[in-house]
Amino acid sequence: MKKNGKKSKKNSIVFYVSIAALTLLIVVSACMPYILSRMGEAGIFTRSESSGEYPRNGDGVDKYGRPDSSDEMRGVWVPYLSLDNVNKAKIDGIVSRAKQNGMNTIYFHVRPFGDALYKSEYYPWSHLVTGTQGEAPSDGFDPLAYAVEAAHREGLELHAWLNPLRIMLNSGVYPPSLSEDNPYNVWRGDDNAENDDWVIDYGKGKYYNPAIPEVRELIVNGVKEIVENYNVDGIHWDDYFYPASDESFDDSEAYAEYKSNGGKLSLVDWRTQNINTLVKSVYSAVKASDSEVEFGISPAGNIENCLAVGADVKTWGSQEGYVDYLCPQIYWTNDNKIAPFKQMCGKWRDVVTSDKVKLYIGLALYKAGSDDDKGKWQTSDDIIMNQVLFTRGSEINADGFALYSYAYLENEQTEEEVKNLRSVLN
């Protein structure tokens, strides 16, 4: 009996010790998020491969400065240059490569030249699809429809990227030709002289004239049909607005009419008003068609240059009802004497002040490892990585970044840069 009593007492001690250990484990586990956050604030969590100068950016960031991928936009631009002879296999490769490299958003170029990589009521088929502008694919292939399907299948967002005004490059050689049903040829070729200035020749390039209400209506309708017919996550514009800041872009006829009707604005302010009217109309059309779809713009990185060509980024970034995000193209290194990266990011942070507008930073992956900017991109192979870390910090607190362009995600020139970037992505 005494022997059994000792065994029972020993079992009781083991039981109570186990209970105490389990309780301690539960308490420590419950407190761990707080402990880790305090360690992060103290600077304990710093990336060993970098200088450690970039602070944490709030909850959900691990010891390498990596936020949850669902909280950070990680975009890549897929320009028309990567979409020649586009087909399903090419789109599958684009989606796969983007995902493998940590991206969660694709900006897919669907209207580079007043044309369409999708079935449109307003714009001719792009020559990128069939080789000839205006010629529909004989097999019914719709690149935008398939790109949306492929991206969503892999858990990525897809935003339809449009150039709203550009019809032909200033070189005059791309696209190779304009189809008969291209609005440029329709308006210039009919018997109605009043619509001739709805499009403007600039050098050898061609552009829509945003001063004309009918032109703005065309652009708005072209956006609406995408949102209504395709399950896109966003509509995206880049930095092509007015191609010049002076009278060399000859919209003098429309400006003279404006002045004759009592208009008092200068040429630059009048052009800005035209673009603002267009941007606000597109935003409203997108939200009316699907309130979940975002509308954003990626302006040039120099703010003053933006303002000179009608891109009123200060209004767009500070007032609700124009855009959901701005993604300025800050394509410089920290040691650039004219436009140092950190300083330019700070200027854009001052521009985007509305709590309804997100700030993404456009990064020049295509320059990494090149001799651009007098060799500044060859001084290190972690420039893009450190730019991402900086934009995550409390000084900028950006909502994400975008890389230009897809072709450089797997490229000998940028191999080490991309490898280092991946190390700070989930």
Side-chain angles (χ1 to χ4, degrees), residues 122-123 212-224 278 281:
Y122 304 100
Y123 298 95
I212 308 300
E214 289 85 352
V215 170
R216 296 197 296 266
E217 182 180 10
L218 170 70
I219 295 170
V220 171
N221 287 337
V223 169
K224 284 173 60 179
L278 176 60
S281 297

Side-chain angles (χ1 to χ4, degrees), residues 140-412:
F141 176 56
D142 187 319
L144 177 55
Y146 187 77
V148 170
E149 175 189 331
H152 289 177
R153 185 169 61 237
E154 295 298 328
L156 279 65
E157 288 194 3
L158 190 131
H159 294 224
W161 169 15
L162 321 175
N163 294 114
L165 303 184
R166 187 175 67 187
I167 301 171
M168 179 173 281
L169 291 180
N170 292 343
S171 64
V173 299
Y174 213 81
S177 63
L178 302 182
S179 60
E180 290 184 2
D181 61 342
N182 188 297
Y184 178 93
N185 284 333
V186 172
W187 294 336
R188 285 291 178 88
D190 62 19
D191 295 328
N192 181 9
E194 292 183 1
N195 60 15
D196 286 355
D197 75 328
W198 293 8
V199 286
I200 303 292
D201 295 328
Y202 176 69
K204 295 181 180 180
K206 305 181 190 304
Y207 293 84
Y208 287 110
N209 184 354
I212 308 300
E214 289 85 352
V215 170
R216 296 197 296 266
E217 182 180 10
L218 170 70
I219 295 170
V220 171
N221 287 337
V223 169
K224 284 173 60 179
E225 71 171 353
I226 293 176
V227 178
E228 292 173 354
N229 297 335
Y230 297 89
N231 190 27
V232 296
D233 301 287
I235 296 294
H236 180 81
W237 286 3
D238 60 12
D239 58 327
Y240 287 97
F241 295 99
Y242 281 94
S245 59
D246 57 19
E247 294 86 352
S248 60
F249 182 81
D250 189 8
D251 51 0
S252 57
E253 186 174 333
Y255 184 54
E257 182 178 352
Y258 161 77
K259 297 282 281 187
S260 67
N261 290 325
K264 303 296 184 183
L265 295 176
S266 68
L267 178 63
V268 171
D269 289 343
W270 171 73
R271 287 176 173 175
T272 300
Q273 178 180 266
N274 295 333
I275 296 296
N276 275 348
T277 300
L278 176 60
V279 169
K280 197 161 191 175
S281 297
V282 167
Y283 179 89
S284 297
V286 168
K287 298 307 176 183
S289 299
D290 188 336
S291 61
E292 297 300 313
V293 173
E294 290 192 323
F295 172 49
I297 295 176
S298 177
N302 186 301
I303 295 171
E304 296 307 315
N305 288 350
C306 291
L307 299 176
V309 295
D312 189 7
V313 295
K314 292 184 177 181
T315 295
W316 304 345
S318 62
Q319 297 184 26
E320 183 179 358
Y322 288 91
V323 296
D324 292 299
Y325 67 83
L326 288 177
C327 183
Q329 300 167 26
I330 307 181
Y331 289 174
W332 305 284
T333 56
N334 288 333
D335 57 350
N336 188 292
K337 294 181 179 180
I338 299 175
F341 178 79
K342 291 182 180 180
Q343 180 180 326
M344 299 304 289
C345 286
K347 289 183 177 181
W348 279 98
R349 181 70 281 173
D350 292 340
V351 164
V352 181
T353 57
S354 170
D355 60 3
K356 301 295 185 181
V357 181
K358 297 176 183 177
L359 174 63
Y360 306 142
I361 304 297
L363 304 175
L365 181 61
Y366 75 99
K367 287 187 176 181
S370 75
D371 59 0
D372 282 11
D373 301 338
K374 299 181 179 180
K376 288 181 170 58
W377 292 88
Q378 295 177 330
T379 61
S380 172
D381 58 14
D382 59 2
I383 294 173
I384 298 294
M385 179 198 78
N386 281 314
Q387 288 183 342
V388 168
L389 291 174
F390 174 72
T391 62
R392 288 174 176 172
S394 58
E395 183 176 344
I396 305 302
N397 196 25
D399 298 288
F401 63 88
L403 304 175
Y404 189 87
S405 73
Y406 159 77
Y408 293 88
L409 283 179
E410 292 183 14
N411 186 292
E412 184 178 356

Side-chain angles (χ1 to χ4, degrees), residues 91 117-120 125 129 137 139-147 230:
I91 291 173
L117 276 79
Y118 57 94
K119 186 177 181 180
S120 174
W125 277 98
V129 183
D139 59 359
F141 176 56
D142 187 319
L144 177 55
Y146 187 77
Y230 297 89

